[in-house]
Amino acid sequence: MPHGPLIDTHQHPVPDYYARALASVGITGSGENPWPEWSIQKQLDLMGELNIKAVVNSVASPGAYFGDIDKAIAIARECNEGSAKMVADRPHQFGAFGLLPLPDVQAAAKEAAYALDTLKLDGICLLTHTDKRHLGHPDEDELYAELDKRKAVVFVHPNRPPFVDDLPVQIWASIIEYPFETTRVAAYLIYHEYMRKYPNI
């Protein structure tokens, strides 16, 4: 059925530098899916095929942190600067959400400020959890305060829980666990009154 034109706020580029950085720690895809053969031209071709006039890109799961915070900071910075270049090259077709190096809250707050104030990205992509901490944890208040101060748009994206591989029934995490992850974070945010504390996010 014909439709559109559309604006898609949920597309994930896989630039070479991100794939290479994750390959160095043994990660070759997101969840059960290997990385697609992504390129800017392939993304533009898909947009044309589906009558999508503009997209907001985000580098999302599995994120930037895999046990080494310095590496996470470097990955987030390279992804954010790469995203800003994509936007600058095609400002009427691309927007972008920034990636942050959680679980280091101070580093994440600093990168959020750089992504929003200097690179002028459209918002921030936060994963439902990083390491063992979910969004809505009081330890992250410093980050939320920075986002609130900037009236930041925040896109929450589910991340694959580590326990999935131990479940007796193997079903793709994207089918069951991703909705559970998103619901869990929504409950945490409500329970800890984050919408009241940070109403500008």
Side-chain angles (χ1 to χ4, degrees):
M1 178 180 291
H3 59 71
L6 302 176
I7 297 174
D8 185 351
T9 61
H10 190 174
Q11 287 204 20
H12 302 312
V14 187
D16 289 343
Y17 47 80
Y18 183 64
R20 280 197 307 271
L22 269 60
S24 72
V25 293
I27 295 172
T28 58
S30 179
E32 297 83 2
N33 300 306
W35 297 129
E37 293 182 8
W38 177 88
S39 70
I40 291 176
Q41 188 55 55
K42 287 184 178 181
Q43 186 173 15
L44 292 170
D45 291 345
L46 179 66
M47 291 167 62
E49 178 184 339
L50 299 178
N51 199 18
I52 298 171
K53 295 300 182 186
V55 302
V56 183
N57 284 323
S58 55
V59 176
S61 61
Y65 178 75
F66 307 98
D68 184 335
I69 193 59
D70 290 333
K71 191 174 186 70
I73 291 169
I75 290 172
R77 176 59 57 93
E78 188 167 23
C79 287
N80 292 336
E81 291 185 339
S83 293
K85 184 179 186 312
M86 287 177 63
V87 174
D89 290 345
R90 293 176 174 82
H92 300 296
Q93 291 175 293
F94 289 152
F97 294 132
L99 176 67
L100 301 185
L102 287 169
D104 188 313
V105 176
Q106 289 186 335
K110 181 178 178 181
E111 188 62 26
Y114 180 73
L116 295 170
D117 299 348
T118 302
L119 298 179
K120 305 297 183 185
L121 297 185
D122 298 285
I124 297 296
C125 176
L126 292 179
L127 297 175
T128 48
H129 77 271
T130 305
D131 199 24
K132 296 179 180 179
R133 191 173 65 214
H134 280 78
L135 296 182
H137 195 287
D139 285 353
E140 296 181 347
D141 277 2
E142 178 183 347
L143 171 61
Y144 304 143
E146 290 295 324
L147 296 173
D148 185 77
K149 184 165 60 176
R150 290 167 173 80
K151 297 181 170 62
V153 173
V154 173
F155 175 63
V156 176
H157 193 283
N159 204 4
R160 188 176 192 270
F163 58 75
V164 169
D165 293 331
D166 298 326
L167 295 176
V169 178
Q170 292 298 306
I171 301 175
W172 278 18
S174 56
I175 296 175
I176 294 180
E177 300 303 332
Y178 276 21
F180 285 179
E181 274 285 290
T182 306
T183 302
R184 182 180 293 110
V185 163
Y188 287 174
L189 294 172
I190 292 168
Y191 181 80
H192 292 294
E193 299 188 321
Y194 276 99
M195 277 70 80
R196 180 184 62 79
K197 290 168 67 177
Y198 304 110
N200 296 312
I201 297 177

